[in-house]
Amino acid sequence: DIVMISLVRSNRGGNIGFLKEEQRVNVLLSRARYGLFIVGSAKTLLSSKKGEHVWQPLLETMEKNGQLLKGLPTVCEKHPDDSPVSLSKPEDFRLLRPNGGCCRPCGYRMNCGHACPQMCHPIDPQHKVAEKRCCEPCRRFPPECRNGHLCPKLCKDPCGECCAKVEPTELPCGHTASSPRCHDVRNEEAILNLAGRCRKMVQYAFKPCGHVRETRCSNARAKLPICPAKCEAALECGHTCRKACGACDGDHACGKKCERILFCGHICDRNCHSGPCGACERQCEVRCYHSNCPKKCNKPCASCVERCTWKCKHQGQCELVCGAPCSRLPCNERCEEKLECGHRCPSVCGEPCPPMRYCQECCDASLKKHVVDMISLASYEEQALDEDPILILPCGHFYACSTLDGHMDLASAYESDKYGNFVGITTFTSDEKTSKPKACIDCRCVIQNVKRYGRILRFAELRSLERKHLMSIGRSLDIASKQARDGRSVANLKHILGKLQKGPMHRVYEACGGSAQVEVNPAPPGPYIRTYQLLGESYQKMTASAGDENYLLALKYLELAVDKATESESHKSGAQSRLMLSSFLLNYSTVTDALKEEIIPMLDWIINHHVTFNDLKAEANRLKEKVKAADNTKILSEVVRAMNKVDGYDYGGSWSSHWHECPNGHPYFIGNCGGAMEEGICLECGEAVGGSGHRLLASNRSNVGGIVGEILRRDG
């Protein structure tokens, strides 16, 4: 009925777009029935060369009739007798017509008794919304208050409980509530409830634990008082339960951190737990003077193959790469270099000189009092540096060389003469005092990049890298075990096998030119066994017939798995590998005496030696029964052929109809017509066989489709 149109054209160039077209303007002006408001710029319309002929007569007619206005005329809906107000700017709506009405105060008395604080507004004439937003002070008494306290809240908020403070009140427990709320002492029931929340501390003997502790009066008077003492039951982790005695129902919990040192040298920051700590998520600490690893600690990383920088004029330079356990002997002489202050370096020969603040003469009092000798407890200012220099660790703490030599167990890495001088290096084993990196005596930070201990630190680092390398291979094998067994899986497994054969230690060995001074420990057999098993399974899946190329490769890798398991003396891996090889041979070969001589000893090994995993033992028994059944089939075949050659014997009817099976599948023969006339017992298992009246027992069946039937069809 009433249409408002915005022409959306206002510019100095007179560009009015489609408004220059008479047809469009005709449609625009003819849509409204009773009223039409056009909002636009008359100046822009008249300055248009192409649209002037359309709009000039229209605008002249509007101006003549008083319809061309400078603003939008508006009238207050609630006060229609007031003069219209013209709105020509955007801010006029907010200033002259706030809330859609006029600028008069609303003045409506709401149900709460307060006057509406808004300006005139046509919306919400009954003020239902305004009452819910009334922000005047409340003038009511709280519902259950009998003392005449006014509600301190705003009118829009429910009064609720009276929170005014009243005089002290004596409680049934004997204590006094100094300043209770009015609502809490309104009647006897409320006073009893307040006594149930009494916070006064009392001594109480708890049952059945027997603890005597200070607790709240309300807890002591409860039906089941909760003892606040710590449970302190001894846990398997070595800590004690930190739950409250009354809240612990036997499900003890340790509230301390694990703080076990991981193989990477970091401290486990998880809450105390059972089982392994899991993968370390911190930044890798593998670094040297040349570079550092940017990866997470649980990711495999490489060892440095740059030339080792450890050298001095007394012992020469280490000839190996930086990542290899150092082969030169430690120097016990004090460094002869000068610090910036001009005093002699306090460290040992071959180590980088420390900053000036570590100078024995120039350092502050706190460093001079620092204990550097853990045997004699001598302080730094008392230390004879010419006899026993100090070593500064990467964390900033420093100790006498003799103290750190003992802490690092330097004697295990070198041979010494009777005077304590180093004369040669020792050979490390994979488990010899190198399972975890050494940490600082004070702060437990990992000790690294101390050249004097390069032989020990680098071997520990290589062991850590090897372990991360094997963990990565284990994850790859987990993924490979879930993938399809095809040519792509074979390529992936061979790649894993290549990584197994060249771990971090082997790469360092190659970087050192195959030096005999670098010991390379072989990888553990477990990953090899698993890789061989998966390769055997993959080639078995691709085998078309016995004797083809895939068959021979499957046989090769399964035999390698058995050999590796035998070498490792792992009962589980040995049993699994022998089962896989036995099953493979049975699936693709006819049971012969030679095959039995190969399979039966493997199955007997599992049955007689491997008793921990019953499922593997049961599978071995099943395969052994399969071998025996195949052997019995061979004997039965010879019997059937012999009976078939007997001349003049009248079987009566079809020859094959005389053979039947007991409930367990053992075959038996009925002469004459082949029909069952009496019951008997199976000689193999003791089950009932035969029948009566030419009818077999319900548990028996004809053997035409069984072992004998197969023999008959094979022999024609």
Side-chain angles (χ1 to χ4, degrees):
D1 292 344
I2 299 176
V3 178
M4 292 189 69
I5 299 172
S6 174
L7 300 182
V8 295
R9 291 291 187 276
S10 178
N11 53 75
R12 294 180 180 179
N15 181 14
I16 61 174
F18 62 84
L19 293 178
K20 65 181 180 295
E21 300 176 8
E22 296 179 359
Q23 296 86 348
R24 296 288 187 95
V25 175
N26 179 54
V27 173
L28 180 148
L29 298 175
S30 60
R31 297 302 95 186
R33 293 182 180 178
Y34 303 113
L36 175 65
F37 291 89
I38 301 176
V39 181
S41 172
K43 187 176 180 179
T44 301
L45 296 173
L46 293 174
S47 63
S48 174
K49 295 180 179 180
K50 295 183 178 181
E52 181 183 5
H53 69 286
V54 178
W55 286 100
Q56 185 172 1
L58 289 174
L59 293 174
E60 289 177 352
T61 302
M62 291 179 186
E63 186 175 8
K64 182 178 180 180
N65 296 333
Q67 297 170 333
L68 188 62
L69 307 175
K70 293 185 178 181
L72 182 68
T74 60
V75 176
C76 178
E77 184 179 339
K78 298 186 66 176
H79 304 97
D81 296 335
D82 292 354
S83 300
V85 175
S86 178
L87 306 177
S88 59
K89 295 179 290 185
E91 57 267 23
D92 289 348
F93 287 90
R94 175 174 55 85
L95 297 175
L96 303 178
R97 290 301 185 209
N99 302 324
C102 61
C103 294
R104 293 187 185 186
C106 177
Y108 185 91
R109 183 180 297 168
M110 298 182 289
N111 290 333
C112 61
H114 296 120
C116 176
Q118 300 183 68
M119 305 299 284
C120 176
H121 55 94
I123 301 174
D124 189 26
Q126 301 301 320
H127 288 72
K128 293 182 180 180
V129 177
E131 287 176 4
K132 296 178 181 179
R133 298 176 179 176
C134 182
C135 294
E136 296 295 325
C138 182
R139 299 293 182 183
R140 296 163 294 188
F141 296 136
E144 296 183 353
C145 178
R146 301 291 183 266
N147 296 320
H149 300 125
L150 283 176
C151 175
K153 300 179 181 179
L154 298 178
C155 181
K156 64 180 180 179
D157 300 323
C159 292
E161 301 172 351
C162 181
C163 297
K165 300 295 183 180
V166 298
E167 65 276 0
T169 303
E170 186 174 354
L171 303 178
C173 62
H175 298 120
T176 300
S178 57
S179 55
R181 298 188 311 162
C182 174
H183 181 79
D184 292 333
V185 294
R186 66 189 184 279
N187 52 40
E188 292 184 1
E189 181 181 357
I191 294 174
L192 285 174
N193 290 334
L194 182 61
R197 304 193 302 273
C198 180
R199 294 174 175 269
K200 298 292 183 181
M201 302 303 291
V202 297
Q203 289 288 332
Y204 185 77
F206 291 89
K207 298 178 182 179
C209 63
H211 292 132
V212 178
R213 292 289 188 276
E214 192 175 44
T215 186
R216 291 181 179 179
C217 171
S218 56
N219 184 36
R221 296 175 64 249
K223 292 183 179 180
L224 297 173
I226 299 176
C227 177
K230 298 298 181 184
C231 173
E232 296 186 348
L235 305 178
E236 294 181 1
C237 61
H239 300 136
T240 56
C241 177
R242 305 306 297 167
K243 284 186 177 181
C245 176
C248 187
D249 53 0
D251 184 18
H252 304 295
C254 177
K256 295 187 177 182
K257 293 289 184 181
C258 172
E259 295 188 343
R260 281 184 280 183
I261 299 178
L262 306 177
F263 73 87
C264 59
H266 291 132
I267 297 174
C268 177
D269 58 357
R270 293 173 54 195
N271 290 332
C272 189
H273 58 89
S274 59
C277 293
C280 179
E281 294 294 336
R282 298 177 65 180
Q283 182 66 34
C284 182
E285 296 285 353
V286 175
R287 60 171 58 91
C288 67
Y289 295 100
H290 304 103
S291 60
N292 61 282
C293 177
K295 302 178 183 178
K296 292 287 186 182
C297 195
N298 57 11
K299 302 296 182 183
C301 53
S303 185
C304 179
V305 293
E306 301 288 345
R307 188 177 182 185
C308 182
T309 59
W310 189 26
K311 63 179 179 179
C312 74
K313 68 178 183 179
H314 305 103
Q315 297 292 345
Q317 180 167 0
C318 178
E319 297 298 330
L320 302 180
V321 297
C322 181
C326 292
S327 60
R328 58 153 278 187
L329 301 179
C331 181
N332 293 328
E333 301 293 330
R334 181 181 176 183
C335 179
E336 298 178 357
E337 299 292 330
K338 301 289 185 180
L339 300 182
E340 295 178 2
C341 60
H343 298 119
R344 188 178 175 184
C345 175
S347 188
V348 70
C349 181
E351 296 292 330
C353 293
M356 187 176 62
R357 67 175 181 273
Y358 288 99
C359 175
Q360 191 179 38
E361 298 182 33
C362 302
C363 66
D364 57 32
S366 61
L367 289 183
K368 288 184 177 182
K369 298 296 182 183
H370 176 65
V371 176
V372 296
D373 192 326
M374 293 299 170
I375 303 298
S376 64
L377 299 181
S379 63
Y380 186 30
E381 62 182 354
E382 300 169 342
Q383 183 71 8
L385 296 180
D386 290 338
E387 299 177 5
D388 194 2
I390 64 166
L391 264 174
I392 294 90
L393 300 179
C395 60
H397 295 112
F398 61 100
Y399 303 93
C401 278
S402 58
T403 293
L404 284 176
D405 287 353
H407 178 63
M408 298 296 296
D409 196 18
L410 189 63
S412 67
Y414 297 95
E415 297 176 354
S416 304
D417 59 17
K418 61 181 180 180
Y419 302 106
N421 299 316
F422 298 117
V423 295
I425 60 175
T426 60
T427 301
F428 281 122
T429 60
S430 59
D431 298 323
E432 186 179 7
K433 303 178 183 178
T434 55
S435 57
K436 292 179 181 177
K438 297 289 186 179
C440 173
I441 300 171
D442 277 347
C443 64
R444 299 182 70 184
C445 288
V446 177
I447 297 177
Q448 56 185 353
N449 293 333
V450 180
K451 296 181 179 180
R452 182 177 180 84
Y453 308 121
R455 182 164 178 77
I456 295 174
L457 296 178
R458 292 304 178 223
F459 190 82
E461 180 182 288
L462 281 175
R463 274 182 49 79
S464 176
L465 296 183
E466 282 284 338
R467 187 164 178 178
K468 291 197 285 186
H469 176 69
L470 292 174
M471 289 171 63
S472 174
I473 286 178
R475 291 191 291 267
S476 298
L477 288 174
D478 288 338
I479 296 172
S481 64
K482 299 174 183 177
Q483 294 175 340
R485 302 290 185 266
D486 52 20
R488 188 168 55 180
S489 69
V490 167
N492 184 32
L493 289 167
K494 286 187 175 180
H495 175 69
I496 293 173
L497 190 60
K499 290 171 61 179
L500 261 176
Q501 294 167 346
K502 289 193 176 183
M505 281 190 175
H506 194 277
R507 289 198 293 270
V508 168
Y509 172 76
E510 289 181 340
C512 293
S515 173
Q517 294 176 324
V518 180
E519 302 99 5
V520 179
N521 295 313
Y528 276 106
I529 297 171
R530 194 174 177 195
T531 307
Y532 290 148
Q533 289 175 347
L534 291 174
L535 278 168
E537 286 183 350
S538 299
Y539 279 115
Q540 183 178 351
K541 291 285 186 181
M542 297 187 292
T543 298
S545 61
D548 66 10
E549 183 180 0
N550 290 326
Y551 172 87
L552 295 176
L553 288 170
L555 182 62
K556 169 190 170 182
Y557 284 111
L558 291 176
E559 288 177 344
L560 284 173
V562 172
D563 294 341
K564 203 70 175 178
T566 304
E567 176 187 332
S568 68
E569 298 182 357
S570 169
H571 278 192
K572 183 177 181 180
S573 297
Q576 290 174 335
S577 301
R578 285 172 171 81
L579 278 176
M580 292 176 69
L581 179 57
S582 300
S583 178
F584 172 72
L585 292 173
L586 284 174
N587 287 338
Y588 289 95
S589 305
T590 304
V591 177
T592 62
D593 292 340
L595 187 65
K596 284 193 296 180
E597 290 178 1
E598 185 176 359
I599 293 177
I600 294 298
M602 291 194 292
L603 299 177
D604 286 340
W605 184 92
I606 300 171
I607 296 168
N608 297 330
H609 295 86
H610 191 77
V611 295
T612 306
F613 298 90
N614 292 328
D615 55 336
L616 298 178
K617 186 175 180 180
E619 179 65 13
N621 281 314
R622 188 189 69 80
L623 290 179
K624 192 171 182 180
E625 288 296 325
K626 186 176 180 179
V627 173
K628 289 182 178 179
D631 201 24
N632 292 337
T633 301
K634 181 179 178 182
I635 297 172
L636 181 63
S637 178
E638 294 176 356
V639 171
V640 171
R641 292 192 189 97
M643 292 179 66
N644 197 22
K645 292 179 181 179
V646 175
D647 294 330
Y649 188 84
D650 184 11
Y651 292 109
S654 172
W655 184 84
S656 62
S657 63
H658 293 263
W659 289 94
H660 308 280
E661 288 182 356
C662 77
N664 292 324
H666 299 125
Y668 63 90
F669 184 85
I670 299 178
N672 296 325
C673 66
M677 298 300 296
E678 59 179 312
E679 294 186 17
I681 296 176
C682 177
L683 299 178
E684 295 283 343
C685 61
E687 291 285 346
V689 296
S692 60
H694 292 85
R695 293 189 178 213
L696 285 174
L697 293 171
S699 60
N700 287 227
R701 61 184 178 276
S702 173
N703 193 258
V704 174
I707 298 174
V708 175
E710 183 179 348
I711 295 171
L712 293 175
R713 287 190 296 273
R714 188 169 64 240
D715 293 347

